[in-house]
Amino acid sequence: MSEESPQVRPIEAAERVGIGVIGCGTVGGALIAALLSRSTQIADRTGTQLDVRRVAVRDLHKARDVDVPRELLTDDAEELVADENVEVVVEVMGTIEPARSLIEAALKARKPVVTANKELMALAGASLAKIAKENDVDLLYEASVGGGIPLVRPLRESLAGERISRVVGILNGTTNYILTRMTEEGVEYKTALDEAQELGYAEADPTADVEGLDAAAKAAIIANLAFGASVVAQDVHPEGITSITAEDIDLAGRLGYTVKLVAIISRHDNGSAGVRVHPVMLPADHPLASVRLSFNAVFVEGEDVGELMFYGRGAGGAPTASAVLGDLIDAAHNLRHGGSGRLARPGNATLWPLEEQSSAFYLTLDVEDAAGVLAAVAQAFGEYEVSIRSMEQTGVRGEAHLVFVTHE
């Protein structure tokens, strides 16, 4: 081994691995509770003792759901990262900064990092992965995409040799809950949103969820994993559900479809990757059409493996903490044996421009119920070579409501 190579940590010295957790909110608290209560069980299963040695919080005196020993708490996250007793850093505080700077510092100090921060990974995942690679340590982020659903590891490892053609996913539990209520009970969007907020599924400001921004960040991460594309959240076309009405959902149902907000990550023939998030009308017999309420699901299509679906709780403290804990055990195991377990697809896929992608569309028009109007609409479609698959017309007091479904 050359003098420049990192030293392999002896197994005996790494049987106990010191953990530092940045953030003790919903996810951080659930993670710490699991670590404190299952420490012996985890050690028996993995041969590695995970010791919580520092927990960074904003307010040292705030009441918490988990009873963290006072001597472990600090309000200085930089001190936690620099602490020699902390060997693996877990970031569950959210936001871009100071999370990014803290993760960079930990990686440069050759400390593996586990994060659940989807905004950060969608924005700066590539640069953080580069730092991790340069320092031969893990950067793991299973919880950043599907909460408790194991998706990152299968895409990164189990399907590493697979030529993936498309990934279609319901990646936001809030919007799926709202659309489920609109579909099953016929309520309008605002009523369903108010209910989601009362139940804690939606934030007081639900913009990131209902406008598709949360799903877009997760889609960017999936595009990087599935296709090696250099995609950030800003590259993803987001369209939310705020304009969808109960009537739209009812019409879709009568046509044999279910409305869902989905992320579509697909491979073009030239190798580029298309990434977009918007409401779609899924055939009622599609596996994703039956995903209800706050559950998430991801449908993966591969050249050899065929079709796979990953399903489960996409958010919440305990499910997300479960994914973080899985990554933490991996990181500690790899550290114990002196290395990292990174696998990644080559980052050579370019972005497939949205304007070059095609789809079938659903359109509604309210027009005057008079002779020649429908012919004029048909002429407009014809001028732009839009082929109509089906059309429905209803009339109310001198107006006609036209519903079209186009071919691709």
Side-chain angles (χ1 to χ4, degrees), residues 346-357:
N348 56 2
T350 57
L351 197 63
W352 183 11
L354 181 67
E355 58 270 18
E356 294 181 10
Q357 299 177 49

Side-chain angles (χ1 to χ4, degrees), residues 41-61:
Q41 178 184 359
I42 292 170
D44 288 343
R45 286 184 178 181
T46 67
T48 303
Q49 179 81 32
L50 302 177
D51 292 340
V52 180
R53 293 182 179 166
R54 300 291 277 170
V55 178
V57 296
R58 291 188 177 90
D59 182 356
L60 293 173
H61 306 290

Side-chain angles (χ1 to χ4, degrees), residues 218-303:
K218 297 170 183 176
I221 296 172
I222 291 174
N224 290 317
L225 286 166
F227 301 134
S230 181
V231 178
V232 297
Q234 289 77 5
D235 294 328
V236 182
H237 169 75
E239 180 185 339
I241 66 170
T242 55
S243 64
I244 295 176
T245 66
E247 182 184 19
D248 292 329
I249 290 177
D250 179 62
L251 285 167
R254 280 157 39 195
L255 293 169
Y257 297 96
T258 301
V259 177
K260 295 291 185 182
L261 181 74
V262 304
I264 302 173
I265 304 99
S266 54
R267 182 191 297 275
H268 189 263
D269 291 342
N270 64 13
S272 61
V275 192
R276 61 190 196 269
V277 171
H278 54 74
V280 303
M281 288 174 19
L282 290 171
D285 60 354
H286 191 284
L288 292 179
S290 61
V291 178
R292 301 176 62 251
L293 301 176
S294 62
F295 280 82
N296 285 189
V298 180
F299 196 73
V300 180
E301 299 176 17
E303 195 171 271

